Amino acid sequence: MLQSGAYLAAEKKAAIAAVLTASRLCQSVFKTLVSSETVLKGDKSPVTVADFGAQSLVNRALQRHFPNDAIVGEEDAADLHADAALRDRVLALVNANSGEAAVTGHEMCNFIDLGSSAGGSVGRFWTLDPIDGTKGFLRGEQYAVCLALIVDGKVELGVLGCPNLPVDLSKPDGERGSLFVATRNGGAYQRSFSSEILHKINTTNADKASSTKFCESVEAGHSSQSDAANIAGLLGITQQSIRMDSQCKYGIVSRGDAGIYLRVPVSDAYEEKIWDHAGGSLIVEESGGVVTDIEGKPLDFGVGRTLKNNKGVIAAGKLIHAEVLAAVQKGLGR
């Protein structure tokens, strides 16, 4: 049953505004601090500055609008407390991009440290990844600002800001800056950074996996690319995979650019972080897709800061998810 448009309306409005503000800070950092020399030297300081700045801006907005809500954030301010020069760099960017009254370094660090909640299965909390896809950010490719609201262990609202993602993937030189938003039972939508008009999106309606394509991580350390290639062979998929960093992959699947997002565990011991999947998984589900782990279990966001009850992720159109799941289990010998 569809929720009315008023469901979580205040939360959705605040989350979209916060994600856009944080995304624009990240764009500012890239323009002013990232150079080809930076990338060649493996200097991660620009993404560190953007990470801290984005988390500060989003947490400040959440505290202002929803002061009783906890936050599970990826970052804490320990490095900023220890490094005054770094703190001052972040502070200058935060105050230049917030659109609000300037804050002190101490206040900024306090906003960042609001993200220390342990999560859990009871009550409301937000989960934030201020820059998902740090290497993509440094390459000038795909990254995302990811925010989600979890209530009693279920994701109820998801917002992804994807500053470098083309609004229309078939026009790679066209407008960039895609924002995805979904509320539970309310559908999934996309808008550009430059327009407030929301467009409903849907996953692929293909009924055979062989007619679709994968969307995969660029980094082999995040998901087993050899296993994915084997699984693609089992499914008869011949189209080249779309490779990109971050939860942009969920956005790509949710609007039908790819049929399948597969994250195959590289280690049995690895636990996915909730902020890497909360918003994106809801957006795919609300656009008509199905998201499970590689055992076919729903993702469990109510057991802390990780998905400790799950292994891997399969996001796909609803007509092909079962076929993909069977191939994954066969390919991994499960």
Side-chain angles (χ1 to χ4, degrees), residues 14 17-26 50-64 90 93-100 103 108 111-112 128 130:
V19 166
L20 284 173
T21 300
S23 296
R24 288 173 178 137
L25 176 143
C26 294
D51 245 339
F52 284 130
Q55 180 151 321
S56 175
L57 290 177
V58 173
N59 286 2
R60 180 184 185 181
L62 294 178
Q63 188 190 53
R64 180 173 67 253
V90 177
L93 279 158
V94 165
N95 284 331
N97 287 276
S98 71
E100 300 184 71
V103 296
M108 178 189 70
F111 287 131
I112 293 170
L128 167 68

Side-chain angles (χ1 to χ4, degrees), residues 29-148:
V29 171
F30 185 83
K31 288 176 183 175
T32 58
L33 297 182
V34 177
S35 66
S36 57
E37 183 181 4
T38 297
V39 177
L40 286 171
K41 288 182 177 178
D43 179 5
K44 294 183 179 179
S45 60
V47 78
T48 301
V49 169
D51 245 339
F52 284 130
Q55 180 151 321
S56 175
L57 290 177
V58 173
N59 286 2
R60 180 184 185 181
L62 294 178
Q63 188 190 53
R64 180 173 67 253
H65 291 288
F66 313 107
N68 296 320
D69 287 354
I71 304 170
V72 176
E74 183 177 20
E75 308 298 337
D76 64 60
D79 288 348
L80 299 185
H81 291 300
D83 187 337
L86 177 60
R87 182 173 66 246
D88 289 345
R89 290 175 74 194
V90 177
L91 181 63
L93 279 158
V94 165
N95 284 331
N97 287 276
S98 71
E100 300 184 71
V103 296
T104 66
H106 178 72
E107 289 169 329
M108 178 189 70
C109 289
N110 284 344
F111 287 131
I112 293 170
D113 283 334
L114 289 173
S116 61
S117 171
S121 61
V122 178
R124 283 173 46 126
F125 66 88
W126 298 82
T127 187
L128 167 68
D129 192 341
I131 297 186
D132 184 25
T134 55
K135 291 182 179 179
F137 172 84
L138 287 171
R139 289 193 303 266
E141 296 175 357
Q142 299 310 324
Y143 67 96
V145 179
C146 310
L147 183 62

Side-chain angles (χ1 to χ4, degrees), residues 128-323:
L128 167 68
D129 192 341
I131 297 186
D132 184 25
T134 55
K135 291 182 179 179
F137 172 84
L138 287 171
R139 289 193 303 266
E141 296 175 357
Q142 299 310 324
Y143 67 96
V145 179
C146 310
L147 183 62
L149 175 64
I150 296 174
V151 182
D152 295 334
K154 289 192 173 183
V155 185
E156 294 292 310
L157 166 67
V159 179
L160 305 180
C162 307
N164 288 337
L165 186 66
V167 173
D168 182 345
L169 203 63
S170 70
K171 300 175 181 177
D173 296 324
E175 182 179 4
R176 291 179 176 243
S178 301
L179 184 137
F180 300 90
V181 58
T183 52
R184 183 165 295 281
N185 299 321
Y189 297 84
Q190 175 184 291
R191 52 162 280 190
S192 69
F193 277 22
S194 62
S195 170
E196 295 184 7
I197 299 172
L198 293 170
H199 301 277
K200 197 169 192 313
I201 52 176
N202 297 283
T203 53
T204 180
N205 60 5
D207 59 3
K208 292 289 184 183
S210 58
S211 64
T212 66
K213 64 179 72 171
F214 276 161
C215 191
E216 296 182 75
S217 298
V218 174
E219 301 297 327
H222 292 166
S223 182
S224 173
Q225 294 179 351
S226 59
D227 284 334
N230 181 38
I231 292 161
L234 291 172
L235 290 167
I237 294 174
T238 57
Q239 297 184 67
Q240 187 173 2
S241 294
I242 300 172
R243 294 196 187 278
M244 61 177 60
D245 299 283
S246 83
Q247 284 187 66
C248 290
K249 293 185 285 294
Y250 280 112
I252 289 293
V253 171
S254 71
R255 69 186 190 188
D257 293 327
I260 305 158
Y261 164 36
L262 187 61
R263 193 165 173 108
V264 180
V266 292
S267 161
D268 284 340
Y270 183 72
E271 295 179 0
E272 299 282 352
K273 309 299 188 295
I274 64 170
W275 50 78
D276 285 332
H277 299 283
S281 64
L282 179 68
I283 289 164
V284 167
E285 290 172 349
E286 287 300 321
S287 60
V290 178
V291 183
T292 68
D293 70 3
I294 61 172
E295 303 292 347
K297 297 188 298 184
L299 303 185
D300 186 351
F301 292 95
V303 289
R305 293 170 68 89
T306 68
L307 295 172
K308 63 183 59 153
N309 288 344
N310 300 108
K311 292 297 178 188
V313 176
I314 303 170
K318 65 181 178 182
L319 299 180
I320 59 174
H321 186 276
E323 180 188 3

